């Protein structure tokens, strides 16, 4: 099964990309460690949210497809949980 990534998730990742460029700029300007780490922490948080959103939306789509086909979706739920745990 394939998953079409919605524009709002791509937009979120472009924002993360901009944040990463900002961190590089902070480093090039020799800003404080505190500023750099703070921005890296924000990037990590944004990436975690993007991962959770992708998994949740994909899982929802997969569960609906499984139910329409009359199959059990519990295995997919377990796989999604494992994927989230592994991403941390």
């Amino acid at each position: 099964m394939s998953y079409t990534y919605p524009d709002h998730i791509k937009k979120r990742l472009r924002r993360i990309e901009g944040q990463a460029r900002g961190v590089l700029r902070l480093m090039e300007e020799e800003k404080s460690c505190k500023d750099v780490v703070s921005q890296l922490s924000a990037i990590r948080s944004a990436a975690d949210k993007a991962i959770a959103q992708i998994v949740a939306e994909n899982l929802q789509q997969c569960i609906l497809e499984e139910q329409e086909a009359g199959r059990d979706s519990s295995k997919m739920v377990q796989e999604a949980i494992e994927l989230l745990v592994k991403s941390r």
Side-chain angles (χ1 to χ4, degrees), residues 2 7-8 14 20-21 24-25 32-33 35 37 45-46 52 54 57-58 62 76 79 83 86:
S2 68
D7 289 339
H8 67 93
R14 284 187 195 96
R21 283 193 303 271
L24 286 170
R25 189 171 49 254
S32 74
C33 173
D35 291 340
V37 171
S45 177
I54 289 169
E57 290 183 15
N58 185 43
C62 290
M76 272 186 192
E79 288 173 357
L83 186 60
K86 193 185 303 185

Side-chain angles (χ1 to χ4, degrees), residues 6-24:
D7 289 339
H8 67 93
I9 291 177
K10 293 174 189 175
K11 183 178 177 182
R12 182 183 294 258
L13 293 176
R14 284 187 195 96
R15 198 173 315 125
I16 293 169
E17 180 182 37
Q19 287 176 301
R21 283 193 303 271
V23 169
L24 286 170

Side-chain angles (χ1 to χ4, degrees), residues 32-44:
S32 74
C33 173
K34 181 180 176 183
D35 291 340
V36 171
V37 171
S38 175
Q39 289 304 308
L40 286 171
S41 180
I43 291 170
R44 180 174 50 196

Side-chain angles (χ1 to χ4, degrees), residues 37-68:
V37 171
S38 175
Q39 289 304 308
L40 286 171
S41 180
I43 291 170
R44 180 174 50 196
S45 177
D48 287 344
K49 289 177 184 176
I51 290 168
Q53 193 165 16
I54 289 169
V55 171
E57 290 183 15
N58 185 43
L59 178 60
Q60 182 180 17
Q61 178 181 331
C62 290
I63 286 174
L64 290 174
E65 290 173 6
E66 289 294 297
Q67 287 174 344
E68 287 173 1

